Amino acid sequence: MKLAIFDCDGTLVDSQADICAAMDAAFKAAGLIPPERQLTRRVVGLSLHEAMRQLHPEGEHHEHASLTELYKDAFRARRAAGAVAEPLYEGIATLIEELAHEGWQLAVATGKSDKGLAHCLATHGLTGHFVSLQTADRHPSKPDPSMIEQCIADAGADRARTAMIGDTVYDIHMGVNAGVRSFGVDWGYHETEELIEAGAEAVAKSIEDLRALLGRIA
């Protein structure tokens, strides 16, 4: 059984505008200067508490917890107002459908919440293609391999025939830590050189490249 595990933000969907806007709102609500948006993009993929720790390193644990809740509030408010877009990257929907048709098991391992991931996939009509959806709500932050381990267990997949696909070093490190094939994509939030240095077997520059990389898994 072959299993492809996808990160979400920066891999399946381009959510940086929504994430940056919610982060700005959270920091302002806490009376803090929002981080530069390039710094916010750097922490996409981490659990929220770990992201806040990195963005506000001088803060205490309770401040990071507060920022986490303020971020969730800001994102929920944007969603309620219909302001959350999270568009799929071009070609992703077709890729997911083709892989499923070919018999791949598909999963998601993301720093999103359960609710956030469910909303995102449902919006794009993709929910039914995935056999396992793992989020930061139930696991340690990436690069801990816990999410991948659960995906493999849910899918009943062979570890040697499992691939982690993501756009950040956190995704690649998680895949390496879990002992699975790890492929990067260059349309997300970290640079190709960083992904290779983190241990990516290769980095796809297009959907066609990604299909070819997955074709390496017999």
Side-chain angles (χ1 to χ4, degrees):
M1 190 71 71
K2 294 190 288 188
L3 172 63
I5 305 171
F6 291 88
D7 167 56
C8 188
D9 298 312
T11 301
L12 297 179
V13 300
D14 186 3
S15 48
Q16 63 175 307
D18 296 307
I19 292 171
C20 288
M23 193 66 75
D24 287 354
F27 271 71
K28 287 176 182 176
L32 299 170
I33 297 173
E36 295 181 11
R37 293 202 163 191
Q38 66 181 25
L39 296 178
T40 296
R41 287 192 292 269
R42 293 290 305 171
V43 301
V44 172
L46 295 173
S47 68
L48 277 174
H49 194 275
E50 177 60 20
M52 297 311 181
R53 191 185 69 78
Q54 292 198 19
L55 292 174
H56 186 43
E58 65 276 21
E60 301 292 338
H61 179 85
H62 71 277
E63 293 176 282
H64 299 145
S66 177
L67 282 168
T68 294
E69 293 307 313
L70 289 170
Y71 175 93
K72 290 179 180 179
D73 290 344
F75 208 97
R76 281 193 291 264
R78 287 180 60 80
R79 185 180 292 123
V84 173
E86 298 185 311
L88 288 173
Y89 287 104
E90 185 175 357
I92 285 292
T94 299
L95 174 66
I96 295 299
E97 291 169 2
E98 289 178 352
L99 290 175
H101 181 73
E102 292 168 11
W104 280 80
Q105 298 278 70
L106 304 175
V108 177
T110 177
K112 279 185 176 298
S113 66
D114 286 334
K115 184 178 292 186
L117 178 60
H119 182 272
C120 179
L121 295 180
T123 296
H124 298 295
L126 296 178
T127 309
H129 291 304
F130 296 97
V131 299
S132 185
L133 300 175
Q134 303 306 317
T135 76
D137 283 351
R138 289 167 286 113
H139 295 277
S141 180
K142 299 174 184 178
D144 188 286
S146 174
M147 285 193 277
I148 290 180
E149 298 292 350
Q150 190 60 55
C151 289
I152 291 173
D154 289 348
D158 182 347
R159 190 178 302 270
R161 304 180 81 201
T162 295
M164 177 65 212
I165 301 124
D167 69 299
T168 71
V169 297
Y170 317 123
D171 302 313
I172 303 305
H173 284 151
M174 180 172 64
V176 170
N177 290 341
V180 302
R181 307 282 287 273
S182 300
F183 300 124
V185 299
D186 80 342
W187 51 79
Y189 308 142
H190 287 186
E191 299 297 326
T192 294
E193 295 76 13
E194 296 178 278
L195 302 180
I196 294 296
E197 185 176 345
E201 185 174 322
V203 177
K205 300 184 183 302
S206 66
I207 293 295
E208 291 72 24
D209 280 353
L210 183 53
R211 281 194 60 84
L213 291 176
L214 292 173
R216 295 180 181 181
I217 300 178

